[in-house]
Amino acid sequence: MLSLDDPKWRELQGGYRQPYDASKPLKRMAEGESVWDELWSELHHQGDVGLASYAAIPHLVRISAPMENRDWNLHALASCIEIERHRKGNPELPNWIAPSYKEAWEHLVKLALSDLSHGPDELTLRSALAVVALGRGNLKLGTMLCYIDQS
């Protein structure tokens, strides 16, 4: 896992294909601040994700894991990043991120299953189910669950 104090964060690109230092909002999140709007905006943009998006996943899981009531955004943003990671034009998962990213996803599936056992609201239900599907290698089902229209 890339340390939040590593200067490499300043070079990693987010969803806008520009450098985005995700370590700053992740540090604020660890202190209890809600930064989901910023992370959604910067780590994903119209189907584009970047290395900052991938590097943020282990920290999102680490920060959210001890929380009793996890925000649905954890599951939804992680699912969105994982889905878009497979699309043409987005960077491949580099070797230096891959181990912590994959370990985070294993833990994320466990968190999603735990969150599902607590009678979740609609958004948490859908996004946690997407995490389970994606974490078990079912990209099509995970994509459908993530992007299904509620109406």
Side-chain angles (χ1 to χ4, degrees), residues 12-87:
L12 301 180
Q13 292 186 354
Y16 285 97
R17 304 281 193 227
Q18 297 177 357
Y20 171 64
D21 186 350
S23 71
K24 293 177 182 179
L26 290 169
K27 286 178 183 178
R28 294 195 321 266
M29 177 183 263
E31 295 170 358
E33 186 178 329
S34 178
V35 295
W36 290 114
D37 288 342
E38 178 180 342
L39 293 175
W40 270 106
S41 175
E42 296 292 339
L43 296 179
H44 171 266
H45 178 70
Q46 297 180 350
D48 293 337
V49 294
L51 298 186
S53 311
Y54 306 153
I57 294 295
H59 289 285
L60 290 173
V61 172
R62 176 187 59 80
I63 294 165
S64 299
M67 295 179 180
E68 203 168 299
N69 295 311
R70 278 176 285 279
D71 193 295
W72 66 272
N73 283 289
L74 168 67
H75 303 301
L77 182 57
S79 294
C80 184
I81 290 169
E82 175 62 8
I83 290 163
E84 301 305 339
R85 179 175 79 83
H86 295 279
R87 294 197 195 273

Side-chain angles (χ1 to χ4, degrees), residues 132-145:
V132 173
L134 293 165
R136 297 296 186 250
N138 194 324
L139 184 61
K140 286 183 181 181
L141 179 59
T143 302
M144 182 195 74
L145 289 164

Side-chain angles (χ1 to χ4, degrees), residues 69-136:
N69 295 311
R70 278 176 285 279
D71 193 295
W72 66 272
N73 283 289
L74 168 67
H75 303 301
L77 182 57
S79 294
C80 184
I81 290 169
E82 175 62 8
I83 290 163
E84 301 305 339
R85 179 175 79 83
H86 295 279
R87 294 197 195 273
K88 281 186 179 179
N90 284 324
E92 291 187 26
L93 189 63
N95 291 336
W96 62 270
I97 295 176
S100 60
Y101 184 88
K102 290 176 183 175
E103 183 179 323
W105 261 91
E106 289 172 16
H107 196 130
L108 185 59
V109 169
K110 292 175 186 171
L111 295 177
L113 290 169
S114 173
D115 291 345
L116 288 169
S117 71
H118 301 298
D121 60 80
E122 171 79 19
L123 290 172
T124 302
L125 175 64
R126 226 174 353 110
S127 57
L129 286 171
V131 162
V132 173
L134 293 165
R136 297 296 186 250

